[in-house]
Amino acid sequence: MKNKLNLFLLISFLIALVLTIWLNYQVTNRVGDLSFNKEIDKSTFKVCDEKRIPQYYSTKSNYQGGKKAIKKELWKTTEQLNFGNSGFITFRFIINCNGKIGRFRIKTIDSELKENSFDSLKIKTLQASIIKLQKWNAGTWKDKTLDSYFVLNFKIEQGKITDIF
Amino acid sequence: MKVFLKILKVILTIVFFSYTLFVLYFLGLAPKEKRFKIAGHQQGVYLSQTMFNILTYQNPNYSDAYFEQSVPFNKRGDFATGFQLLNKAVELDPSLHLGYRGYMKLRFLRDYKKALFDLNRLDSLTPNFTDAPWGEDIDFLRGECHFGNKEYQKAIDCFNRNVKNNKEDWVDINTFTYLGMCEYELGNYEKSISEFNRVLKQSENTPEAHFGLAKAYLKLENLDKVNEHILKAEKSIDYKREDPYKEFQNEIYLEEITEFKQKMNQ
């Protein structure tokens, strides 16, 4: 009887422990989180608070002059590129609390909104031109600047970039 | 002491099992509407996604769950996943979700043709009813689609229909801003000015209208009016149309106004 009770206690404890660890993982991770990957991310780019990186729409992080200004500044690069097909290239990255950007991740879709692949060298050219942009405004919360995730889309029609937003 | 230890063990066993049962009930057995609400409030958190996965597994026709599950993916730039879920919601209940999908294609993807297709399909499913996808009049959204496609006369027709639907004094004033922009693009500068003035009649502090007037008066070479309205645009910029999620097609920035002024002064 005593052994049975100990066994029940052990089993119930282990199940509760595993469940708690799983729940903790479930509530501390979010769709679109970008964790540091030493294979692709520059170690010189630092976020100010790894545990708290909200989305651009919660912090009003932006580029001076909006995406219209980005479009204007990138136009020389973008008008030279031809991706062959239609679709969208989406860059997701972090604007840190000092207004620096890094930790880029890219998703591409075709015009039917299904995952596809565009020429990776041309995507790298795009990324290099984004890195050169200097007028990022870090997000703010209660008068303090903070890190935030940002999304930048490139619309491609018949190979050419026709819009950035 | 032994009895106390035994009682303690029994209590702990009950507590641990109760906790497990509570979590399992919360995830898989509570009323679906309650779970939907909780998962929706935790938008983007993995637990929310897990709860939606359980909900749609248990209720394969629960279109709202697919729709709500799609939201964080699309907001965060994972459109392949987001639209896969949203397409499922539309497939299950087109009249309920086509409007939102059209809205998303318009504002988040600027895919004007496909947005228009969804909005027109929604309209055909709801005869004699003026739809308002995501709270905006369907003709206003269709007007924005045509504007994006550079089909300015079609855009004008839609925006005018929106005015008719909602009446002059109640309609979203951006309708008049777009009408002014469309007339400007068509080279009808006098008409463009009269449309922008309809905006100002409702709200003097509308920088988009003042900026539009400055551009239209420049075409008509009325420099006094250009200066008057560019200054008013600058002064009222804090009242501009903006949204935390997306840049509007007719969104303006102080930098543009400053640049315009500098060109005027050269």
Side-chain angles (χ1 to χ4, degrees):
Chain A
M1 182 65 193
K2 192 184 167 189
N3 281 344
K4 270 190 180 174
L5 181 60
N6 284 342
L7 189 65
F8 277 134
L9 179 60
L10 181 67
I11 290 171
S12 64
F13 172 72
L14 286 176
I15 294 173
L17 181 69
V18 170
L19 196 60
T20 304
I21 292 168
W22 178 78
L23 274 177
N24 182 56
Y25 171 79
Q26 289 277 308
V27 298
T28 53
N29 286 278
R30 290 172 169 76
V31 167
D33 281 357
L34 308 177
S35 52
F36 177 72
N37 179 346
K38 65 179 179 185
E39 303 292 324
I40 51 174
D41 295 320
K42 283 186 179 173
S43 57
T44 49
F45 175 76
K46 303 277 184 202
V47 294
C48 305
D49 184 355
E50 194 71 62
K51 288 180 183 165
R52 190 182 175 215
I53 309 178
Q55 310 301 320
Y56 62 94
Y57 46 81
S58 307
T59 66
K60 291 191 172 179
S61 55
N62 59 31
Y63 193 73
Q64 195 72 35
K67 288 176 178 173
K68 269 185 173 179
I70 295 178
K71 193 172 167 180
K72 207 171 168 184
E73 285 191 50
L74 296 188
W75 205 242
K76 272 188 183 168
T77 306
T78 55
E79 70 174 355
Q80 289 167 4
L81 295 171
N82 194 318
F83 289 89
N85 298 311
S86 297
F88 298 85
I89 300 172
T90 299
F91 286 84
R92 184 169 164 81
F93 51 92
I94 296 171
I95 305 175
N96 75 9
C97 68
N98 300 313
K100 302 290 178 198
I101 57 170
R103 217 177 280 185
F104 292 85
R105 301 291 183 274
I106 298 124
K107 288 196 179 286
T108 61
I109 49 172
D110 61 20
S111 51
E112 295 304 314
L113 314 183
K114 309 272 187 229
E115 274 181 31
N116 73 342
S117 58
F118 287 114
D119 186 333
S120 59
L121 277 177
K122 285 170 187 167
I123 290 177
K124 276 185 184 164
T125 307
L126 269 187
Q127 184 171 321
S129 66
I130 295 170
I131 290 169
K132 284 181 192 161
L133 296 168
Q134 293 294 319
K135 293 180 276 184
W136 297 99
N137 294 320
T140 54
W141 180 255
K142 292 183 178 173
D143 297 331
K144 279 187 177 175
T145 59
L146 71 171
D147 311 312
S148 60
Y149 290 113
F150 197 76
V151 172
L152 190 62
N153 300 300
F154 292 78
K155 182 179 175 184
I156 300 159
E157 292 176 290
Q158 293 168 339
K160 302 296 287 180
I161 294 171
T162 56
D163 206 352
I164 303 171
F165 50 91
Chain B
M1 188 62 190
K2 273 185 179 176
V3 175
F4 173 74
L5 205 63
K6 196 174 174 183
I7 292 171
L8 186 68
K9 283 179 181 176
V10 170
I11 291 173
L12 282 174
T13 305
I14 292 170
V15 167
F16 289 142
F17 269 128
S18 302
Y19 164 73
T20 302
L21 289 173
F22 172 76
V23 172
L24 293 178
Y25 170 80
F26 170 74
L27 291 175
L29 296 168
K32 70 172 186 178
E33 292 77 12
K34 196 176 173 184
R35 283 184 282 154
F36 175 85
K37 206 173 166 185
I38 293 167
H41 281 304
Q42 298 295 319
Q43 191 182 89
V45 174
Y46 277 12
L47 182 64
S48 160
Q49 289 295 316
T50 302
M51 289 175 78
F52 282 127
N53 283 334
I54 295 169
L55 276 169
T56 52
Y57 176 76
Q58 293 172 331
N59 309 275
N61 296 325
Y62 198 0
S63 68
D64 278 354
Y66 289 106
F67 146 72
E68 192 65 46
Q69 191 176 7
S70 75
V71 175
F73 291 105
N74 287 331
K75 278 184 183 173
R76 297 169 196 196
D78 184 352
F79 298 115
T81 311
F83 275 90
Q84 192 183 12
L85 291 161
L86 194 50
N87 290 347
K88 184 74 183 166
V90 171
E91 191 186 305
L92 291 167
D93 196 338
S95 56
L96 195 58
H97 301 293
L98 264 172
Y100 176 72
R101 194 174 71 177
Y103 168 92
M104 291 301 290
K105 285 179 179 174
L106 166 63
R107 293 274 168 79
F108 277 68
L109 287 174
R110 296 194 177 180
D111 191 341
Y112 308 116
K113 284 180 187 164
K114 291 213 168 72
L116 202 53
F117 183 81
D118 277 353
L119 295 172
N120 286 339
R121 194 175 149 214
L122 172 66
D123 199 23
S124 70
L125 292 173
T126 56
N128 306 317
F129 180 76
T130 306
D131 297 284
W134 225 232
E136 294 185 57
D137 188 283
I138 192 167
D139 283 311
F140 180 79
L141 295 176
R142 285 196 280 211
E144 277 198 348
C145 291
H146 288 301
F147 183 84
N149 277 335
K150 300 187 178 7
E151 297 168 333
Y152 300 114
Q153 191 52 55
K154 284 183 181 175
I156 288 170
D157 294 342
C158 286
F159 288 127
N160 280 333
R161 217 158 46 227
N162 182 34
V163 178
K164 201 177 161 191
N165 293 342
N166 294 286
K167 311 296 173 214
E168 178 91 13
D169 293 338
W170 294 96
V171 73
D172 182 343
I173 57 169
N174 288 293
T175 312
F176 303 127
T177 309
Y178 272 115
L179 280 168
M181 292 167 77
C182 289
E183 296 293 357
Y184 178 89
E185 293 294 338
L186 292 171
N188 305 327
Y189 304 121
E190 297 280 4
K191 179 74 175 155
S192 165
I193 288 168
S194 90
E195 297 293 7
F196 285 129
N197 280 326
R198 282 168 93 184
V199 181
L200 299 182
K201 200 178 158 195
Q202 294 205 19
S203 174
E204 176 61 27
N205 291 317
T206 311
E208 295 86 1
H210 286 298
F211 196 31
L213 281 165
K215 286 176 177 175
Y217 278 120
L218 184 62
K219 290 285 183 186
L220 298 174
E221 296 179 359
N222 185 340
L223 296 184
D224 286 344
K225 284 284 187 187
V226 174
N227 285 327
E228 177 192 330
H229 286 289
I230 202 65
L231 288 174
K232 284 182 177 175
E234 190 176 41
K235 205 175 160 189
S236 59
I237 193 66
D238 288 345
Y239 300 97
K240 80 183 192 113
R241 185 188 189 214
E242 60 185 337
D243 178 271
Y245 297 98
K246 278 290 143 209
E247 183 174 85
F248 289 112
Q249 287 185 76
N250 72 333
E251 187 153 348
I252 61 167
Y253 293 90
L254 183 61
E255 287 75 10
E256 285 176 87
I257 295 170
T258 309
E259 195 181 316
F260 185 95
K261 274 175 74 181
Q262 281 169 351
K263 277 185 187 166
M264 286 295 299
N265 293 332
Q266 280 170 3

